[in-house]
Amino acid sequence: MVLEHYRCPLHRYTFSVRPIRQWLEAQCEGRVLNLFAGPTLLQVDEVRNDLDVDMPADYHLDAAAFLESWNGEPFGTILLDPPYALRKSMELYKGIICSPFRRIKDAIPGCLKPGGLVITFGYHSVVMGRSRFFRLEKVALFSHGGAIHDTIASVERLIK
């Protein structure tokens, strides 16, 4: 497992921060599902979903509903960058609340190619876990300075 550390500013739209965006784009493999897309367009083959209809996205569905209804080709990479806490959702994202995260995680393997990646941003380093047949390959810490929580990105590979 690889651990990387970066210093960068904090922004409510994680991928708008250049060091985070560049790191993320370098990790992605194949066609990418950006499940909580926000406003930042990535330089990857990206399918974009965001519940907020004001965001530039291909779909505006609840994340779990999107995954459970997807009948297209499986993705090489799925990106998860939901609001990290209920308070964050209420204060920064118009109070939009996504479906329970466990339901989202349980639906992901059905939309991912064998050997595909899930890249998750948040306050935790293991998200998908061994019980869903994922192996943690890389963790990146993005330090924002002072008393601000680090952003933790985990890269997990489907091994089944």
Side-chain angles (χ1 to χ4, degrees):
M1 200 257 319
V2 176
L3 176 64
E4 299 175 342
H5 182 260
Y6 302 87
R7 294 179 189 267
C8 60
L10 177 67
H11 193 277
R12 72 176 172 169
Y13 295 115
T14 309
F15 304 158
S16 70
V17 178
R18 184 182 306 159
I20 295 174
R21 185 179 63 251
Q22 290 174 336
W23 177 88
L24 174 62
E25 290 171 345
Q27 308 310 308
C28 291
E29 298 177 1
R31 192 166 181 219
V32 175
L33 170 59
N34 191 345
L35 203 50
F36 302 87
T40 306
L41 301 174
L42 299 173
Q43 298 300 305
V44 296
D45 180 11
E46 179 183 27
V47 173
R48 299 172 55 78
N49 179 67
D50 198 298
L51 193 52
D52 185 347
V53 296
D54 294 329
M55 290 297 146
D58 306 301
Y59 302 90
H60 296 285
L61 301 171
D62 173 78
F66 178 94
L67 293 166
E68 291 165 356
S69 66
W70 181 253
N71 60 4
E73 290 291 316
F75 295 95
T77 302
I78 296 178
L79 307 179
L80 299 176
D81 184 35
Y84 302 162
L86 180 60
R87 190 194 100 236
K88 234 181 136 172
S89 181
M90 300 307 289
E91 292 176 2
L92 300 175
Y93 303 103
K94 303 179 188 177
I96 296 173
I97 299 171
C98 69
S99 58
F101 206 55
R102 183 179 190 151
R103 185 172 153 210
I104 293 168
K105 294 187 298 184
D106 288 345
I108 283 175
C111 297
L112 193 62
K113 289 182 176 182
L117 298 176
V118 173
I119 303 173
T120 307
F121 290 79
Y123 294 143
H124 307 283
S125 60
V126 176
V127 179
M128 297 303 295
R130 284 191 239 168
S131 65
R132 292 184 188 88
F133 302 100
F134 281 83
R135 179 183 66 235
L136 182 63
E137 291 189 347
K138 186 180 289 189
V139 172
L141 294 177
F142 296 95
S143 297
H144 308 300
I148 300 170
H149 292 291
D150 289 350
T151 298
I152 302 172
S154 62
V155 179
E156 294 171 284
R157 186 173 302 277
L158 182 62
I159 54 175
K160 184 175 179 184

